[in-house]
Amino acid sequence: MSDDLTTPEAQSEAELAFEGALRPKSLAEFVGQSKVRGQLQLLLTAARMQERTPDHILLAGPPGLGKTTLAMIVAHESGRTLRMSSGPAIQHAGDLAALLSSLVPGEVLFIDEIHRMARSAEEMLYLAMEDFRIDIMVGKGAGATSIPLDLAPFTLVGATTRSGLLPNPLRDRFGFTAHLEFYDDAELEQVLTRAAQLLDFEVDRDAIAEIAGRCRGTPRIANRLLRRVRDYALVHGGRADRSAVRQALELYDVDELGLDRIDRAVMQAILTRFDGGPVGLNTLAVSVGEEADTIESVVEPFLVRIGLITRTPRGRVATPMAWDHLGIPRRPTAGAQQALFTDDL
Ligand SMILES: Nc1ncnc2c1ncn2[C@@H]1O[C@H](COP(=O)(O)OP(=O)(O)OP(=O)(O)O)[C@@H](O)[C@H]1O
């Protein structure tokens, strides 16, 4: 689904550059997530007063809600440099050893998608987080020895979209875990207003409200839709008003609830092929030709959140609102109450 406007992951170098320009640089500029902001502020201030590195921080939540931005803010607010890496780039304990041993004292190490790091590296990280020390294995077999190596003190900021996949010993070593929530419409309007100002783009208030309602509670998508609306207003030479938003987003297949092509394909499958469900994740993924992981981590949380589907022990089930929204008449004999596919819940 890499070409979809509402995919919450960043999609290209150009988008990353665009995001960089809009990224809040301080906690004060960061919109929403007020509880997490307050908790982080306290943690950073206490560390500063005690002249020590801040505790390790785990940021959990769906893509595009601001985990990378918060990691950058942690480094910035504590006056430290930031080193960025990601779970998939750490395939061996040696990759992590090289990274950790090159940190300068006090540096903030950001590991995105930390749940995708190699198991062997995870174990090395336990000791590094706790004692700022690692054991390097030298040699093989009976002659193998481990050489302890002291590390510079650092703060690890881990980000994950799947905190349930992190082993407990790793999760427990974070001093603070922040669960980022989807943003409400008022917060998204603030994100959009700020972005429009930074882009020097004049846009009507009701246009902002219209975009906020269609961006899946996700700032990254809000900014991306704003960009498309800006293109539309530029090309058509008109005002960036509510009607321009509607026309631009219709062109890109984003409906008034923010559903895109994939969401609709998933809903159509549940409603028409499986009579409203229940249907198991893998069966559903195969029927729409998508990865089960994409359905589970990107599509489903949003559909559940807006009340179009529910998760039951027997699988995903469409709600009455889903039939109405997709404009599909409910079948009186729908087998929705039968567990059709219970093999892969
Ligand atoms: N609270 C916020 N206030 C203003 N803008 C935000 C906020 N959170 C995120 N953004 C905007 O959304 C973009 C995406 O945020 P970010 O890269 O931090 O998300 P993420 O959660 O790390 O996503 P991923 O998991 O895909 O890496 C940022 O460039 C920023 O412009």
Side-chain angles (χ1 to χ4, degrees):
M1 62 191 273
S2 61
D3 59 348
D4 284 327
L5 196 57
T6 48
T7 304
E9 285 95 3
Q11 289 179 15
S12 62
E13 288 294 318
E15 177 162 35
L16 289 174
F18 169 75
E19 285 192 348
L22 299 182
R23 235 181 247 292
K25 306 275 183 297
S26 65
L27 279 177
E29 259 185 277
F30 192 86
V31 174
Q33 313 288 347
S34 57
K35 188 142 201 179
V36 167
R37 263 190 299 135
Q39 292 165 332
L40 274 177
Q41 187 78 68
L42 186 68
L43 184 145
L44 296 180
T45 309
R48 196 176 316 124
M49 288 169 76
Q50 294 169 317
E51 295 179 7
R52 58 169 174 80
T53 52
D55 288 349
H56 304 302
I57 299 165
L58 181 64
L59 303 171
L65 298 192
K67 297 184 292 298
T68 307
T69 305
L70 279 177
M72 290 178 169
I73 289 176
V74 165
H76 183 75
E77 297 242 330
S78 48
R80 295 163 193 274
T81 50
L82 179 73
R83 188 76 75 85
M84 300 183 77
S85 186
S86 74
I90 303 173
Q91 284 310 307
H92 308 281
D95 298 334
L96 183 66
L99 185 61
L100 291 172
S101 59
S102 66
L103 293 175
V104 300
E107 200 155 25
V108 175
L109 171 63
F110 176 57
I111 304 185
D112 201 4
E113 296 187 80
I114 193 166
H115 59 276
R116 294 178 62 193
M117 199 169 55
R119 238 322 115 82
S120 55
E122 248 167 40
E123 279 158 21
M124 175 179 276
L125 196 54
Y126 300 161
L127 194 60
M129 289 170 79
E130 217 156 71
D131 295 338
F132 299 124
R133 190 168 64 84
I134 51 177
D135 288 328
I136 305 222
M137 292 303 291
V138 182
K140 281 195 173 139
T145 45
S146 81
I147 303 177
L149 179 72
D150 286 331
L151 303 172
F154 65 97
T155 296
L156 175 66
V157 180
T160 180
T161 48
R162 310 282 302 276
S163 63
L165 294 185
L166 283 190
N168 283 336
L170 180 55
R171 214 173 326 168
D172 293 347
R173 282 172 170 81
F174 287 97
F176 168 60
T177 298
H179 291 278
L180 300 193
E181 306 290 343
F182 286 110
Y183 292 66
D184 65 28
D185 283 7
E187 291 166 342
L188 291 163
E189 287 180 29
Q190 275 186 60
V191 169
L192 285 160
T193 305
R194 176 180 172 276
Q197 276 163 3
L198 288 172
L199 296 171
D200 208 9
F201 171 42
E202 215 173 294
V203 50
D204 286 4
R205 276 188 75 97
D206 56 358
I208 293 268
E210 186 75 26
I211 301 174
R214 296 183 183 221
C215 63
R216 316 169 74 104
T218 305
R220 170 174 289 135
I221 299 175
N223 287 342
R224 194 185 292 154
L225 298 186
L226 182 71
R227 211 170 153 198
R228 293 290 78 84
V229 171
R230 187 180 59 162
D231 292 349
Y232 188 91
L234 182 75
V235 170
H236 291 268
R239 276 190 78 75
D241 56 13
R242 191 182 283 266
S243 133
V245 172
R246 287 186 178 153
Q247 287 165 44
L249 298 190
E250 195 181 319
L251 196 64
Y252 285 102
D253 277 339
V254 178
D255 77 12
E256 63 279 12
L257 286 183
L259 263 60
D260 67 3
R261 186 179 55 79
I262 301 248
D263 301 312
R264 278 194 296 274
V266 166
M267 290 312 310
Q268 284 272 0
I270 298 178
L271 296 175
T272 57
R273 283 190 223 168
F274 305 105
D275 278 350
V279 53
L281 176 66
N282 292 332
T283 309
L284 188 57
V286 170
S287 78
V288 294
E290 275 297 332
E291 299 281 327
D293 191 48
T294 304
I295 305 274
E296 192 171 28
S297 60
V298 176
V299 177
E300 188 174 87
F302 173 66
L303 296 178
V304 169
R305 177 173 167 260
I306 60 170
L308 290 186
I309 60 173
T310 53
R311 289 180 62 153
T312 74
R314 293 184 302 160
R316 283 73 185 156
V317 179
T319 64
M321 180 183 161
W323 298 91
D324 295 343
H325 185 69
L326 274 277
I328 300 172
R330 292 190 77 171
R331 297 185 208 168
T333 54
Q337 302 316 316
Q338 276 177 23
L340 298 177
F341 298 92
T342 51
D343 56 324
D344 58 356
L345 306 180

